[in-house]
Short mmCIF file of all heavy atoms in Angstrom, two decimals:
data_model
loop_
_atom_site.label_atom_id
_atom_site.label_comp_id
_atom_site.label_asym_id
_atom_site.label_seq_id
_atom_site.Cartn_x
_atom_site.Cartn_y
_atom_site.Cartn_z
N ALA O 90 -6.33 7.66 5.78
CA ALA O 90 -6.79 8.76 6.61
C ALA O 90 -5.66 9.21 7.52
O ALA O 90 -5.86 10.06 8.39
CB ALA O 90 -8.00 8.35 7.43
N ASP O 91 -4.46 8.64 7.33
CA ASP O 91 -3.31 8.97 8.16
C ASP O 91 -2.72 10.31 7.74
O ASP O 91 -2.53 10.57 6.54
CB ASP O 91 -2.25 7.86 8.03
CG ASP O 91 -1.01 8.15 8.85
OD1 ASP O 91 -1.10 8.11 10.08
OD2 ASP O 91 0.04 8.43 8.24
N GLU O 92 -2.42 11.16 8.71
CA GLU O 92 -1.94 12.50 8.40
C GLU O 92 -0.62 12.46 7.62
O GLU O 92 -0.43 13.22 6.67
CB GLU O 92 -1.76 13.29 9.69
CG GLU O 92 -3.06 13.61 10.40
CD GLU O 92 -2.83 14.41 11.67
OE1 GLU O 92 -1.71 14.92 11.85
OE2 GLU O 92 -3.76 14.50 12.49
N GLY O 93 0.30 11.59 8.04
CA GLY O 93 1.59 11.50 7.35
C GLY O 93 1.44 11.06 5.91
O GLY O 93 2.07 11.62 5.00
N MET O 94 0.58 10.06 5.66
CA MET O 94 0.38 9.58 4.30
C MET O 94 -0.35 10.61 3.46
O MET O 94 -0.05 10.79 2.27
CB MET O 94 -0.39 8.26 4.33
CG MET O 94 -0.35 7.49 3.02
SD MET O 94 1.33 6.96 2.62
CE MET O 94 1.05 6.30 0.96
N LEU O 95 -1.33 11.31 4.06
CA LEU O 95 -2.02 12.37 3.32
C LEU O 95 -1.07 13.49 2.94
O LEU O 95 -1.18 14.07 1.85
CB LEU O 95 -3.18 12.92 4.16
CG LEU O 95 -4.42 12.04 4.25
CD1 LEU O 95 -5.40 12.59 5.28
CD2 LEU O 95 -5.10 11.91 2.89
N ARG O 96 -0.10 13.78 3.83
CA ARG O 96 0.89 14.81 3.52
C ARG O 96 1.73 14.39 2.31
O ARG O 96 2.04 15.22 1.44
CB ARG O 96 1.77 15.06 4.73
CG ARG O 96 2.64 16.30 4.63
CD ARG O 96 3.44 16.54 5.88
NE ARG O 96 2.56 16.74 7.02
CZ ARG O 96 2.47 15.92 8.06
NH1 ARG O 96 3.20 14.82 8.10
NH2 ARG O 96 1.65 16.17 9.05
N ILE O 97 2.08 13.11 2.25
CA ILE O 97 2.84 12.62 1.10
C ILE O 97 2.00 12.73 -0.17
O ILE O 97 2.50 13.13 -1.23
CB ILE O 97 3.28 11.16 1.35
CG1 ILE O 97 4.37 11.12 2.42
CG2 ILE O 97 3.79 10.52 0.07
CD1 ILE O 97 4.75 9.73 2.86
N CYS O 98 0.72 12.40 -0.08
CA CYS O 98 -0.16 12.50 -1.26
C CYS O 98 -0.24 13.94 -1.77
O CYS O 98 -0.20 14.18 -2.98
CB CYS O 98 -1.55 11.98 -0.91
SG CYS O 98 -1.63 10.20 -0.61
N HIS O 99 -0.35 14.89 -0.87
CA HIS O 99 -0.41 16.30 -1.29
C HIS O 99 0.93 16.75 -1.87
O HIS O 99 0.96 17.56 -2.80
CB HIS O 99 -0.82 17.18 -0.12
CG HIS O 99 -2.26 17.00 0.29
ND1 HIS O 99 -3.31 17.26 -0.57
CD2 HIS O 99 -2.83 16.57 1.45
CE1 HIS O 99 -4.46 17.01 0.05
NE2 HIS O 99 -4.20 16.59 1.26
N THR O 100 2.04 16.21 -1.33
CA THR O 100 3.36 16.52 -1.91
C THR O 100 3.46 15.98 -3.33
O THR O 100 3.96 16.65 -4.23
CB THR O 100 4.48 15.91 -1.03
OG1 THR O 100 4.38 16.44 0.30
CG2 THR O 100 5.85 16.23 -1.60
N VAL O 101 2.97 14.76 -3.54
CA VAL O 101 2.96 14.18 -4.89
C VAL O 101 2.12 15.04 -5.83
O VAL O 101 2.49 15.26 -6.99
CB VAL O 101 2.43 12.72 -4.84
CG1 VAL O 101 2.08 12.22 -6.22
CG2 VAL O 101 3.45 11.81 -4.18
N GLU O 102 1.00 15.53 -5.33
CA GLU O 102 0.13 16.39 -6.14
C GLU O 102 0.89 17.62 -6.62
O GLU O 102 0.77 18.04 -7.78
CB GLU O 102 -1.09 16.78 -5.32
CG GLU O 102 -2.23 17.37 -6.11
CD GLU O 102 -3.45 17.61 -5.24
OE1 GLU O 102 -3.30 17.66 -3.99
OE2 GLU O 102 -4.54 17.76 -5.81
N ARG O 103 1.69 18.21 -5.74
CA ARG O 103 2.48 19.40 -6.13
C ARG O 103 3.61 19.03 -7.07
O ARG O 103 3.87 19.73 -8.06
CB ARG O 103 3.03 20.09 -4.89
CG ARG O 103 1.96 20.72 -3.99
CD ARG O 103 2.58 21.69 -3.02
NE ARG O 103 3.59 21.07 -2.17
CZ ARG O 103 3.32 20.48 -1.01
NH1 ARG O 103 2.07 20.42 -0.57
NH2 ARG O 103 4.28 19.95 -0.29
N LEU O 104 4.30 17.92 -6.77
CA LEU O 104 5.45 17.53 -7.59
C LEU O 104 5.05 17.09 -8.99
O LEU O 104 5.88 17.09 -9.90
CB LEU O 104 6.23 16.40 -6.91
CG LEU O 104 6.96 16.74 -5.61
CD1 LEU O 104 7.62 15.50 -5.03
CD2 LEU O 104 8.00 17.83 -5.85
N SER O 105 3.79 16.71 -9.17
CA SER O 105 3.36 16.24 -10.49
C SER O 105 3.46 17.34 -11.54
O SER O 105 3.53 17.04 -12.74
CB SER O 105 1.92 15.73 -10.41
OG SER O 105 1.02 16.78 -10.10
N GLN O 106 3.50 18.60 -11.12
CA GLN O 106 3.50 19.70 -12.08
C GLN O 106 4.89 20.05 -12.57
O GLN O 106 5.05 20.86 -13.49
CB GLN O 106 2.85 20.93 -11.43
CG GLN O 106 1.46 20.69 -10.91
CD GLN O 106 0.52 20.15 -11.97
OE1 GLN O 106 0.47 20.67 -13.09
NE2 GLN O 106 -0.22 19.09 -11.64
#
Side-chain angles (χ1 to χ4, degrees):
D91 179 69
E92 292 180 14
M94 195 65 187
L95 284 171
R96 192 177 299 115
I97 289 173
C98 292
H99 289 300
T100 301
V101 166
E102 194 175 18
R103 293 196 302 271
L104 292 178
S105 65
Q106 304 304 313

